[in-house]
Amino acid sequence: MKKIAILGSTGSIGTQTLDVVRNNQDLEVISLVAGSNIEKLEEQIREFHPKVVALWNDKSAQELKQRVKDIPVEVLSGMDGMISCATLSDVKIVVTAVVGMIGILPTVEAIKAGKDIALANKETLVTAGHIIMPLVEKYKVALLPVDSEHSAIFQALNGENNNKISRILLTASGGPFRGKKKKDLENIQLEDALKHPNWSMGRKITIDSSTMVNKGLEVIEAKWLFHVDFEQIEVVIQPQSVIHSMVEFADGGIIAQLGTPDMRLPIQYALYYPERRPLPGDRVDFYQLSQLTFEKPDLETFKGLKLAYQVGKTGGSMPTVYNAANEYAVAKFLKREIKYPEIIEMISCALDAHQYISNPSVQDILEIEQETYRNLQEKWK
Ligand code: NDP
Ligand code: MG
C-alpha cells in the first residue's frame, strides 16, 4: 500500500487525486486537509477512511468533529493541523493541492519529515524555490511535478540521464482571451474570465490562466524544477492543449508529451513514478483533431507573463511580491471588488513599492506576503 496525504482534498486537484485513489487498489489515504468545506470533507472521510483530517477554519473543524463522531478519525484545525497531516509517520507522499502561499510551511515540514512531494501548489516553488530545492536535496526526497506542463517536461526527460536541456518549450492554451488586445480586456466580467477553453480547474488558477499569470508562475516553477535559466524557457501558445510541453536537447531533437487535457494523468504519474498505470478516459484522436497550431505569446497584452520573467530573473523577494499581489488581486476580482485590468495594475504597483531582499527566509517570505497585502489595501481604498 502506498500511503498518501492530500492537502486541499476538496478542490479540483484534490478530488481528481481521490478519483485516482478510487481507480487503484494500492493507494491508502492517511490524511486529508481542506479549508472550510465541511460537507465534502465529511463525504471523503466516509468514503476513504483517513486517520486524521484538518480544516483551516477552527469553527468548521468543531462542526465536522460533531458530524463524524461515529467514525474513528481525528479532526484538527489551522496550520498546526495541516502540518500534522503532512508529517504523519505513516505518510509516504504528500499531494500539495492547496491554493496559494498557505502551502509553503506544510511543504517545508513534510520535506523535513522525509516525505515525497507530489507538487501541484506552484505558489510554494515560485516564492520559496531557493529554500525548497536545497531541502529536497538535503532530505533526499522526491519532488514530483503535478502541474501538467511540468509533468510533461519531467516525462520528456525520462532516460535522458545527463543530457543537458537546451530549451524548454512551455506550452500554454492562451486562455479565453487569446488574440485579444489590451483595450478588449477593459470590460471583462468575472463570468468571461472563468470560462477556460480546455481545462476545468479551481477559480483562482482559472483567472490566472486568463491573465497568463499562471504561465508566468509556471516559468518560475520550471526554472526551479529543471535547473535551467530563464533564457532557456520559451512559452509557446498551443491552443488545442494537446502538447503539454516539450524539451529540446543539444542536437536539436525535441521530445514532447501529448495527451487529452486530463489532470488525472499527471497526478497518477506523480503517485506511481516511474510506473505507468492504466487510466480510463478519452484518448487523443488525431484524425478528429486534424491540426496542432502554435503562436507566440503577446507580452504587451498579457503583461503578467512579461513581469514574471522580470521578477524571476531578479529573484530574491520579487517573485513573492508578484505572487502575493496576484493572490490578493484575484481574490478581489473574484469578489467583484476590482476590474479585470486592475489585477495586473496591482501586481505592478506592489512590485514598484517593494524594497528588494536577496535571500528571503520562509519567515521573510510570509512577512513580505502580509506587507504586500497591507500596501495594496492602503493604495486601493
Ligand atoms: P481549488 O480552489 O479547486 O482547491 C483548493 C483546495 O485548497 C480546496 O481543497 C480548499 O478547501 C483548500 N484550501 C484553500 N484554502 C485553504 C487553507 N487556508 N487551508 C487549508 N486548505 C485550504 O484549487 P485547485 O485544485 O485548482 O488548485 C490547487 C493548486 O494546484 C493551486 O496551487 C493550483 O495553481 C495548482 N494547479 C491546479 C491545476 C488544476 O487543474 N486545478 C493544474 C495545475 C496546478 P475548501 O474546498 O474547503 O475551500
Ligand atoms: Mg499548468
Side-chain angles (χ1 to χ4, degrees):
M1 280 303 230
K2 192 160 199 178
K3 301 183 175 194
I4 69 170
I6 307 173
L7 314 182
S9 66
T10 53
S12 164
I13 295 289
T15 51
Q16 292 181 86
T17 305
L18 287 170
D19 210 28
V20 170
V21 173
R22 231 177 247 125
N23 289 328
N24 289 279
Q25 266 59 62
D26 55 352
L27 289 171
E28 183 183 346
V29 176
I30 301 295
S31 56
L32 296 174
V33 175
S36 59
N37 192 338
I38 306 172
E39 282 76 22
K40 203 165 223 168
L41 189 55
E42 180 182 349
E43 265 172 42
Q44 294 179 344
I45 293 169
R46 294 190 185 278
E47 183 178 354
F48 295 98
H49 315 290
K51 291 184 178 153
V52 188
V53 300
L55 279 169
W56 179 254
N57 185 290
D58 192 42
K59 243 177 105 193
S60 308
Q62 293 309 326
E63 195 185 327
L64 180 68
K65 217 181 250 179
Q66 288 305 313
R67 291 166 73 144
V68 294
K69 265 203 300 218
D70 57 316
I71 307 175
V73 59
E74 195 177 345
V75 181
L76 307 173
S77 67
M79 183 52 82
D80 289 347
M82 177 143 55
I83 290 174
S84 296
C85 285
T87 56
L88 286 171
S89 63
D90 282 4
V91 170
K92 168 84 179 101
I93 184 163
V94 179
V95 180
T96 65
V98 288
V99 58
M101 289 172 69
I102 198 91
I104 297 175
L105 279 175
T107 306
V108 165
E109 293 306 319
I111 296 169
K112 287 184 178 167
K115 312 300 180 196
D116 291 336
I117 306 290
L119 183 107
N121 178 247
K122 63 192 90 183
E123 295 92 341
T124 288
L125 216 49
V126 167
T127 56
H130 61 291
I131 295 165
I132 300 289
M133 296 313 289
L135 278 179
V136 164
E137 211 145 280
K138 180 171 171 196
Y139 289 90
K140 301 194 177 8
V141 299
L143 180 61
L144 302 145
V146 166
D147 212 345
S148 59
E149 295 78 0
H150 305 75
S151 175
I153 296 162
F154 187 64
Q155 292 175 56
L157 290 170
N158 259 335
E160 292 296 339
N161 302 321
N162 293 326
N163 286 328
K164 283 222 167 71
I165 296 172
S166 77
R167 224 171 18 140
I168 282 178
L169 298 151
L170 192 71
T171 55
S173 71
F177 309 134
R178 178 173 62 89
K180 295 223 183 295
K181 293 289 163 206
K182 218 169 174 175
K183 63 169 185 355
D184 305 324
L185 299 183
E186 277 164 21
N187 292 313
I188 291 294
Q189 298 301 304
L190 179 57
E191 291 70 22
D192 307 321
L194 283 175
K195 274 186 218 134
H196 194 281
N198 305 333
W199 295 93
S200 156
M201 309 179 283
R203 285 158 67 86
K204 190 253 175 185
I205 185 176
T206 304
I207 301 298
D208 289 353
S209 299
S210 79
T211 57
M212 289 200 79
V213 165
N214 180 52
K215 209 48 57 182
L217 298 173
E218 290 184 356
V219 167
I220 304 175
E221 184 185 11
K223 177 234 143 55
W224 288 115
L225 281 172
F226 306 110
H227 313 283
V228 289
D229 295 330
F230 286 98
E231 287 73 19
Q232 290 171 280
I233 309 173
E234 200 170 307
V235 174
V236 180
I237 309 283
Q238 206 293 285
Q240 296 81 21
S241 293
V242 168
I243 301 183
H244 297 314
S245 277
M246 309 179 255
V247 179
E248 184 187 86
F249 296 94
D251 56 0
I254 295 173
I255 309 277
Q257 188 257 339
L258 285 70
T260 53
D262 181 349
M263 284 308 295
R264 292 173 312 157
L265 191 159
I267 293 168
Q268 181 169 288
Y269 192 76
L271 291 175
Y272 283 110
Y273 173 78
E275 192 188 342
R276 282 191 191 269
R277 287 280 176 105
L279 180 67
D282 295 340
R283 298 292 186 259
V284 177
D285 179 339
F286 285 97
Y287 301 130
Q288 181 92 30
L289 187 65
S290 84
Q291 61 172 355
L292 289 172
T293 58
F294 305 92
E295 293 166 19
K296 202 174 175 167
D298 171 358
L299 296 184
E300 288 319 307
T301 306
F302 298 95
K303 206 179 144 205
L305 177 56
K306 189 173 173 179
L307 286 173
Y309 272 98
Q310 286 166 6
V311 301
K313 282 180 192 163
T314 312
S317 53
M318 297 312 265
T320 294
V321 178
Y322 173 87
N323 181 70
N326 180 58
E327 285 188 24
Y328 182 86
V330 171
K332 289 257 168 211
F333 180 68
L334 285 170
K335 286 190 258 174
R336 299 178 199 274
E337 290 174 8
I338 61 167
K339 287 181 148 187
Y340 188 72
E342 284 180 283
I343 298 174
I344 302 303
E345 286 167 27
M346 277 186 161
I347 298 175
S348 297
C349 167
L351 289 171
D352 289 343
H354 178 65
Q355 288 273 336
Y356 170 82
I357 298 177
S358 67
N359 191 18
S361 63
V362 170
Q363 197 53 40
D364 293 334
I365 290 170
L366 298 177
E367 276 166 23
I368 294 164
E369 178 192 22
Q370 295 307 316
E371 177 196 290
T372 305
Y373 295 167
R374 277 196 305 275
N375 282 345
L376 288 173
Q377 214 162 10
E378 271 169 33
K379 292 212 167 90
W380 252 267
K381 280 234 166 86

